[in-house]
Each structure stands twice: as structure tokens, then as C-alpha cells.
Amino acid sequence: MSYPPVIVQILLALVVIVAAIWDVRQRRVPNWLTLPALAVGIGLNAFLYETPGLWLALKGLGLAMLIYFPLYLLRGMGAGDVKLMAAVGAIVGPANWLGIFVLAAVVGGVAAIVIVAAKGRFRRTFENIWMILMSIRHGQAPYHSNPELDVSRSEGIRLPHAVPIACGALGFLAAAAIWAPR
């Protein structure tokens, strides 16, 4: 974990907060937010750190795409979420992105458990997890077996993923302010 410059912190916070609010209200993360954030993240890092900064941003973007794009292909993640995490990666670089990713995964996992419990869907959720594992084992996309597993369909329980991403990013900024070397 490294302590990002203040301008990077502000950019990150603005992007993830707007994305979370938009995702809660509209159930999508807009391109007008993610694509400029991606470009500004790359440009800002190139400006601040020159060529190493450019590579830092591209590595963060690449790592985010490596992890999130397969989830999009399996229809377990929306395209806006993928672009948001790619922008976050371009803004903070790969090492800091990993910290944000872990925090977002923990927050998202807790939120998913709360939602499943509130809807009384534990059994169905475990059946779906089993179906996902078996589908992947047989080289098939899970949504072919069950439309509930396609994030674009309304049958399943959906979580606005920009909210855990925002929590992870803001949690990272708080942790970096406390523990990261300056």
C-alpha cells in the first residue's frame, strides 16, 4: 500500500462516490463517468510520475481487466462495474488496486449475505453456487443452466456493485492515511 497524492485521492473519491450513487439510483454505472475517469487516471499518473506513472496506470488497468472481464463474460458482472474497476486501477495502480479489490470483495460478500438472509434465500443461493461450480467444471457458462445467474436478468438477486467498490476505495484511502508510508 502506498499513500497516493491528494489529487489522486480526490479523483478516486469523486469517481467512486458518484458511481455508487448512480448505481443505486439507476442500477448501472455510466460511461460518461468511467471512461473519462480512466483517461484522467492514466493522464494524471503520467503527469505526476512521467513514464513510470504511465506504466503504473496501465498495469492497474490491466490487472482490473484481468480479474473483472472474465466475470463480465460469464454474465456475473455488469460492464459498468468492469469499467469502473478499470478506472480505479488506472487511478491508483496495481498494488493499491489489489487492496481496494480485497476490501470491496469483503464488503460485497457481507452485503450479499445480508441480502440473501433478508430475502430468505440461503438454500437457493447454495444451489446456485453449486450450479456455478458444476457449470464451470464442465466448461459451460453458468447462466446457460439458470437464468437467475445472468446479472442482466431480473430473476436473480442483484447488488449494485459500485457501492462495495466505493466502500473498498474509501476504506483504502482511510487505511492509507493511517498506515501507508509517506
Side-chain angles (χ1 to χ4, degrees):
M1 171 189 324
S2 64
Y3 187 74
V6 173
I7 188 71
V8 171
Q9 293 178 43
I10 292 169
L11 175 62
L12 178 63
L14 284 174
V15 169
V16 298
I17 290 169
V18 171
I21 292 168
W22 198 269
D23 200 12
V24 167
R25 290 183 177 173
Q26 304 291 325
R27 301 301 297 190
R28 57 184 291 277
V29 179
N31 287 339
W32 60 257
L33 175 66
T34 56
L35 299 180
L38 186 105
V40 171
I42 293 170
L44 183 59
N45 278 299
F47 175 76
L48 292 173
Y49 305 112
E50 298 174 346
T51 303
L54 173 65
W55 287 114
L56 178 84
L58 293 176
K59 288 176 185 176
L61 163 67
L63 180 59
M65 291 298 291
L66 181 70
I67 292 174
Y68 269 68
F69 192 66
L71 295 172
Y72 167 74
L73 292 176
L74 291 172
R75 296 188 186 169
M77 183 74 49
D81 301 321
V82 175
K83 290 179 271 189
L84 176 60
M85 278 304 253
V88 168
I91 293 168
V92 300
N96 289 342
W97 182 87
L98 271 174
I100 292 169
F101 168 70
V102 169
L103 289 172
V106 169
V107 170
V110 169
I113 290 169
V114 168
I115 290 170
V116 166
K119 294 192 179 258
R121 299 246 332 217
F122 275 113
R123 179 182 172 148
R124 185 70 184 142
T125 299
F126 286 119
E127 290 170 354
N128 285 341
I129 291 170
W130 181 254
M131 190 176 299
I132 289 168
L133 294 173
M134 291 301 103
S135 295
I136 291 172
R137 180 175 169 222
H138 291 93
Q140 298 173 339
Y143 64 87
H144 286 302
S145 314
N146 184 348
E148 256 184 57
L149 301 176
D150 185 342
V151 74
S152 66
R153 306 278 301 261
S154 62
E155 289 91 352
I157 299 174
R158 300 186 318 173
L159 171 72
H161 192 59
V163 174
I165 292 171
C167 291
L170 296 174
F172 164 79
L173 289 176
I178 296 168
W179 293 300
R182 291 181 171 79

